[in-house]
Amino acid sequence: MSRVSTGPSDHTTAAALLLQRLRAHGVEKVFGVVGREAASVLFDEVDGLDFVLTRHEFTAGVMADVLARITGRPQACFATLGPGMTNLSTGVATSALDRSPVIALAAQSESYDVFPVDTHQCLDSVSVMRPMTKYATELARPADITDLVDSAVTASTAEPVGPSFISLPVDLLGAGVPEADDTPAPPARRPRKPVASVDADWPERLVEVADLLAKAEHPVLVVGASAIRSGAVDALRALVERLSIPVITTYVAKGVLPHGHPLAYGAVTGYMDGILGFPALQTLFGPSDLVLCLGYDYAEDLRPSMWAHGREKKVVRVAPTTNPVPRVFRPDVDVVADVLAFVEALDAATAELAPKTPHDVSALRARVAEFLADPREYEDGMRVHQVMDSMNTVMAEAAGAGRGTIVSDIGFFRHYGVLFARADQPYGFLTSAGCSSFGYGLPAAMGAQLARPDEPVFLIAGDGGFHSNSADLETMARLNLPIVTVVVNNDTNGLIELYQNLGHHRSHDPAIRFGSVDFVQLAQANGVDAVRADDRDALLAALRKGAGLGRPFLIETKIAYDFQPGGFDALSI
């Protein structure tokens, strides 16, 4: 039994049909790492579909996730069999919990030699992937590949959007499909946005919501990412500006109102009271008597307990799916509808309604401004809020209004990004809200730069998460992606140190402390220019240099946290 194909087929192969169908569905990139299935597929079979080689399969999955999120079209990632597939699985999990239409592909042993955990490098790939995908299957007949891609894309692009998976036995991947030479595939269906679930009675619920809005003194909108996916941003802006309703967002919906908009009350994180040393959640939600959740998704980590402050309030959920978590979230009115259709209908239904009076959050804004303007020089390293202020300053200079992307890896610093990062457009701030995958930042920044090649992309990453995936610095250099990366380094898993302090009022170094890494030398070894900057002036100068360089640039800066165990009650579910 041969492990390689015997040579090029005289007919169109399943591999070629696979790539043709992906391209027909709007896929532009396949990110991944190829193994011995290279004998069956070269990835140059189709014009307009590019293969992007990464150093790790997780990187491939996240790059596909972010490119799909920003473009609104499915993208693909690929891995070889066995350990390649399992490496890819964390990227697939990321696109599942972060809601991106990713088509994940992995090679499998020859169809006649699939004996999971008995054949060399053979695992039951479909069983591994099924719990975290919307569709998972293994190719059994080469002629079926077009239909399988159609099914995968259909599943991925229906709300809640998410990944699909196809396992590809290498002998079938390289097999010819004679019937394909004579029978062209039908046109691919390419909906302009994800397909939403719709309750037939949603217009009746709309009347209830309009009545609640009319009676409310201080309503607020809580906006999630499916509002962006539905295309509702412009309609949402028009509604809230006409009625003067404040907007609060999840991590990834920052930017639905531009940074600095008077009705943009910010993104919410359970860490905000503790970081700011201020009752932020009470200030944001305490005076409100109506919380209207548009595109709400529990996975985005803005939990109902976070708005349960202050006066009694009515809660409305508007989402393109049925409520998956009624045990922890029972809104007073639940509307299953396309978010754009609902917002437009609500705008019409409230045409005669007078503007509201937004509740006062000036004290919170003053506290945020105080943090960002912090002029102190700390002997043990900069503070993350100072780093974020510097990144905001240079991003505003380099990008201009309505442009630019700040990406955050995972760690305690991420919550400073949620609070302070500039986001002037939808997905202007990116982080892994649902899965919180360590090492997300570098591939996410690369995906964002590919999606927005003419806009600056800044990345903030901690030393722990960044070094868990730093081999793909070479990918960034090879692709010449002009990302400015800031590695905030304290040689520690800082978020875990916070939790040690919350639970024990002390830390235990063997579980959190790393040896020192010179990230400047690491970057340079991978072909990326780099400098060290340990104060505000040096960091601003380095950011400005990086923003104008036109190629990848890394800045390492020493940071430290001031851990205060109080103020984190919102983390309790």
Side-chain angles (χ1 to χ4, degrees):
M1 294 188 291
S2 174
R3 287 184 179 269
V4 298
S5 62
T6 56
S9 172
D10 294 331
H11 302 283
T12 303
T13 64
L17 292 174
L18 166 71
L19 300 178
Q20 289 171 13
R21 202 58 175 174
L22 289 172
R23 187 70 194 97
H25 281 287
V27 176
E28 301 165 351
K29 308 286 185 188
V30 180
F31 303 93
V33 182
V34 185
R36 65 179 177 87
E37 66 281 354
S40 299
V41 59
L42 278 174
F43 290 99
D44 70 348
E45 289 85 348
V46 175
D47 291 338
L49 182 61
D50 298 323
F51 188 86
V52 179
L53 177 65
T54 62
R55 288 282 179 167
H56 196 280
E57 295 85 353
F58 170 66
T59 297
V62 173
M63 290 183 75
D65 172 320
V66 171
L67 184 60
R69 179 188 312 279
I70 295 176
T71 63
R73 297 303 313 159
Q75 304 297 337
C77 53
F78 184 91
T80 193
L81 61 162
M85 178 273 300
T86 57
N87 282 348
L88 186 66
S89 65
T90 305
V92 173
T94 303
S95 67
L97 275 164
D98 289 345
R99 314 298 193 221
S100 285
V102 170
I103 310 303
L105 310 164
Q108 178 57 290
S109 299
E110 286 75 7
S111 58
Y112 48 79
D113 199 31
V114 177
F115 301 107
V117 199
D118 287 308
T119 301
H120 174 70
Q121 288 195 311
C122 183
L123 297 167
D124 187 346
S125 302
V126 173
S127 292
V128 170
M129 293 289 192
R130 181 175 286 121
M132 52 186 149
T133 56
K134 300 189 68 183
Y135 175 84
T137 193
E138 187 162 280
L139 179 64
R141 297 186 306 164
D144 291 343
I145 190 63
T146 295
D147 292 337
L148 298 189
V149 172
D150 287 352
S151 294
V153 172
T154 296
S156 284
T157 54
E159 290 284 7
V161 298
S164 290
F165 173 72
I166 305 175
S167 174
L168 302 161
V170 294
D171 59 321
L172 303 185
L173 186 62
V177 185
E179 54 267 47
D181 298 333
D182 303 317
T183 307
R189 182 176 178 274
R190 295 174 63 168
R192 60 183 176 84
K193 66 180 187 179
V195 177
S197 298
V198 178
D199 266 354
D201 64 352
W202 79 265
E204 299 171 28
R205 303 286 81 76
L206 171 72
V207 173
E208 295 181 54
V209 177
D211 184 59
L212 287 173
L213 190 55
K215 295 175 181 176
E217 180 183 9
H218 292 307
V220 296
L221 263 61
V222 169
V223 180
S226 71
I228 302 173
R229 294 195 296 269
S230 76
V233 172
D234 289 343
L236 184 152
R237 289 180 179 179
L239 175 69
V240 300
E241 287 174 350
R242 181 173 64 79
L243 294 178
S244 294
I245 302 174
V247 173
I248 298 167
T249 74
T250 62
Y251 304 173
V252 291
K254 276 172 68 81
V256 295
L257 291 185
H259 187 75
H261 192 290
L263 293 171
Y265 278 22
V268 168
T269 166
Y271 297 80
M272 63 195 308
D273 286 16
I275 289 172
L276 294 170
F278 185 87
L281 290 170
Q282 170 64 32
T283 303
L284 287 172
F285 291 112
S288 67
D289 51 354
L290 174 65
V291 177
L292 176 51
C293 302
L294 290 176
Y296 180 76
D297 187 338
Y298 190 69
E300 291 174 29
D301 207 27
L302 198 168
R303 297 187 298 274
S305 58
M306 294 180 186
W307 63 64
H309 289 263
R311 65 193 295 185
E312 185 177 347
K313 52 189 92 288
K314 295 289 186 179
V315 178
V316 175
R317 172 188 177 269
V318 180
T321 62
T322 56
N323 182 8
V325 289
R327 187 172 65 85
V328 293
F329 178 37
R330 288 191 183 275
D332 296 287
V333 182
D334 195 357
V335 187
V336 181
D338 175 76
V339 179
L340 172 59
F342 179 86
V343 172
E344 290 177 335
L346 184 62
D347 192 36
T350 57
E352 304 302 320
L353 194 61
K356 301 294 180 177
T357 302
H359 62 282
D360 183 20
V361 293
S362 57
L364 174 58
R365 284 177 165 157
R367 182 60 170 161
V368 168
E370 180 185 352
F371 263 69
L372 291 175
D374 182 1
R376 287 172 289 181
E377 293 187 9
Y378 298 88
E379 291 184 2
D380 55 349
M382 292 183 70
R383 297 305 187 252
V384 178
H385 53 267
Q386 297 176 315
V387 175
M388 287 307 316
D389 183 57
S390 300
M391 293 177 71
N392 286 343
T393 297
V394 179
M395 178 59 80
E397 296 170 356
R403 292 163 60 86
T405 310
I406 294 178
V407 181
S408 176
D409 205 333
I410 308 308
F412 191 28
F413 62 89
R414 187 259 291 270
H415 299 280
Y416 289 75
V418 173
L419 290 177
F420 302 131
R422 173 190 185 273
D424 236 14
Q425 62 179 325
Y427 303 135
F429 175 76
L430 290 170
T431 190
S432 179
C435 198
S436 290
S437 312
F438 211 43
Y440 169 90
L442 177 56
M446 291 194 288
Q449 191 70 81
L450 288 172
R452 294 169 172 162
D454 299 324
E455 299 185 24
V457 174
F458 289 180
L459 165 64
I460 183 170
D463 53 283
F466 186 77
H467 205 29
S468 75
N469 205 25
S470 59
D472 273 291
L473 275 167
E474 186 277 329
T475 303
M476 184 165 66
R478 174 167 28 94
L479 299 178
N480 196 32
L481 299 174
I483 297 161
V484 180
T485 299
V486 179
V487 178
V488 289
N489 188 1
N490 63 348
D491 297 328
T492 303
N493 274 340
L495 186 61
I496 311 311
E497 185 176 15
L498 170 67
Y499 276 101
Q500 289 180 337
N501 278 272
L502 291 178
H504 308 280
H505 297 280
R506 63 185 179 88
S507 59
H508 179 55
D509 284 358
I512 56 171
R513 277 314 159 205
F514 296 113
S516 182
V517 173
D518 188 327
F519 288 99
V520 172
Q521 288 192 19
L522 177 70
Q524 292 169 344
N526 282 277
V528 175
D529 290 350
V531 296
R532 186 170 286 102
D534 287 328
D535 60 51
R536 267 188 182 268
D537 290 341
L539 179 57
L540 283 166
L543 285 164
R544 290 181 174 121
K545 175 183 176 180
L549 202 58
R551 60 181 184 271
F553 189 67
L554 182 142
I555 305 162
E556 180 182 355
T557 187
K558 181 182 178 183
I559 61 108
Y561 293 109
D562 298 314
F563 289 117
Q564 303 293 333
F568 294 96
D569 293 344
L571 299 179
S572 299
I573 298 176

